Amino acid sequence: MHKFTGGCDCGNLSYEMALTVDPASINPRACDCDFCVKHGAAYFSDAEGSLRINVKHKTGLSEYRQGSGMAKFLICKQCGVLLGGCYEVGNQRYAAINSRTVDRPARFGKDVVASPKVLPDDEKTQRWRKLWFSNVDVSFDKT
Ligand SMILES: [Zn+2]
């Protein structure tokens, strides 16, 4: 397992993750929708890995929905950093992380352009179920 940490700039949102592959072999997906382009985001995930997100102050977390509205984007209200995307169905939570928020020394492969906006909703959620972290825990220190 390859363990890394990351988070927003001010520290309100942070995470620890374990990847089953070296990040150098991962090509983050630079989503070409208007929202992600404006954030300069490129996402990665590891369906076999694990992700623990910690939120210090829940009031400082924005859960923004755009596009099809099926996933929510986790954004720090204080410093504006986009941590990643999250999709919930029943008790199951899936997530993908914005590769820009991973602490060094993690180094990823080259970004590849992805265009999930062209996919029908059911294909999009099928992709998320297959590719995104499925072992995802979110904890809150304070509300
Ligand atoms: Zn922040």
Side-chain angles (χ1 to χ4, degrees), residues 8-11 76 79:
C8 71
D9 186 58
C10 72
C76 178
C79 67

Side-chain angles (χ1 to χ4, degrees), residues 75-128:
I75 302 165
C76 178
K77 279 186 193 170
Q78 193 156 271
C79 67
V81 168
L82 165 60
L83 205 73
C86 187
Y87 169 62
E88 287 160 341
V89 53
N91 293 326
Q92 179 63 52
R93 183 189 283 126
Y94 300 90
I97 287 289
N98 179 5
S99 62
R100 317 301 191 215
T101 65
V102 181
D103 294 334
R104 302 286 178 174
R107 289 194 184 278
F108 291 87
K110 280 204 169 78
D111 292 353
V112 291
V113 174
S115 197
K117 68 183 179 190
V118 301
L119 296 176
D121 287 357
D122 58 334
E123 277 181 43
K124 218 183 319 191
T125 54
Q126 271 172 30
R127 261 181 74 82
W128 296 341

Side-chain angles (χ1 to χ4, degrees), residues 14 22-23 35 43 49 51 53 56 61 68 92-93 118 142:
S14 61
D22 187 326
F35 173 78
Y43 302 91
L51 177 66
I53 298 174
K56 278 189 186 161
L61 170 66
S68 63
Q92 179 63 52
R93 183 189 283 126
V118 301
K142 288 176 188 156

